[in-house]
Amino acid sequence: MTLDELKTYIRDIRDFPKRGIVFKDITPLLAAGPALQEVVDRIADRYRGRVDMVLGIESRGFIIGAAVAYRLGLGLALVRKPGKLPSERYAARYELEYGSDTLEIHRDAFGDHSRVLIVDDLLATGGTASAAIELVRRLDGEVVACAFIIELAFLKGRARLAAPDVFALLSYASE
Ligand code: AMP
């Protein structure tokens, strides 16, 4: 399946979750077996042999991250919203348009010097992924790349990401 074909499975929802936002809905892609397989395989193929661990960001990053990890025969680490992880954890705060938010990781999510692939569904301003990068560093992991299905390139989020490789399958130059 080509990337142009894949793009037809992303649905724009205007004014969700609030006015002025165009929400990129990936549920049509998740519902279509060949499209889901294409996304997972393209990400997995790119990083095969180059990473030791996949890290999924709550919650849509869990879906793609788990499938990529399974495909590569690797484990999955979770970066979650506050109050969800039961064991010892680290937290990283990041700024939003209005206010700030926090993400957490278990301190034993992976071993020192693990080569980590961070996965999420969408890169917007980069705040979420940059918090995930900070958490990987706190655990002495090496961020190999951040991989996304979608990049909203006009928000220039990739400039905020201190990762050697920022990869997105589908890029949008404007809303
Ligand atoms: P950011 O931290 O600004 O890069 O936002 C990325 C996170 O917010 C990802 O976990 C996305 O799932 C979600 N997100 C932000 N903007 C959108 C959007 N326009 N459509 C769908 N999800 C979005």
Side-chain angles (χ1 to χ4, degrees), residues 25-151:
D25 178 20
I26 63 164
T27 61
L29 184 148
L30 297 177
L36 178 59
Q37 199 166 41
E38 188 72 30
V39 163
V40 172
D41 286 351
R42 280 182 185 254
I43 296 174
D45 287 348
R46 184 177 168 95
Y47 296 103
R48 185 168 287 108
R50 295 171 52 197
V51 296
D52 308 307
M53 196 76 191
V54 178
L55 181 149
I57 302 177
E58 188 166 4
S59 57
R60 278 162 282 160
F62 290 175
I63 301 167
I64 305 302
V68 169
Y70 179 82
R71 194 85 178 90
L72 294 175
L74 297 175
L76 180 73
L78 306 180
V79 160
R80 300 206 65 177
K81 290 162 188 158
K84 305 275 191 181
L85 290 172
S87 189
E88 289 286 301
R89 59 206 103 70
Y90 290 121
R93 244 172 64 143
Y94 61 103
E95 300 309 314
L96 299 169
E97 205 180 351
Y98 304 102
S100 68
D101 221 332
T102 302
L103 288 174
E104 296 183 340
I105 195 167
H106 272 155
R107 292 185 183 205
D108 63 356
F110 48 80
D112 291 2
H113 311 303
S114 294
R115 297 171 301 165
V116 178
L117 171 64
I118 295 174
V119 176
D120 202 359
D121 66 325
L122 183 144
L123 172 62
T125 66
T128 307
S130 63
I133 291 172
E134 186 185 326
L135 291 170
V136 171
R137 299 252 158 85
R138 290 274 285 281
L139 266 70
D140 292 320
E142 177 200 342
V143 177
V144 171
C146 296
F148 306 90
I149 304 174
I150 298 164
E151 175 181 12

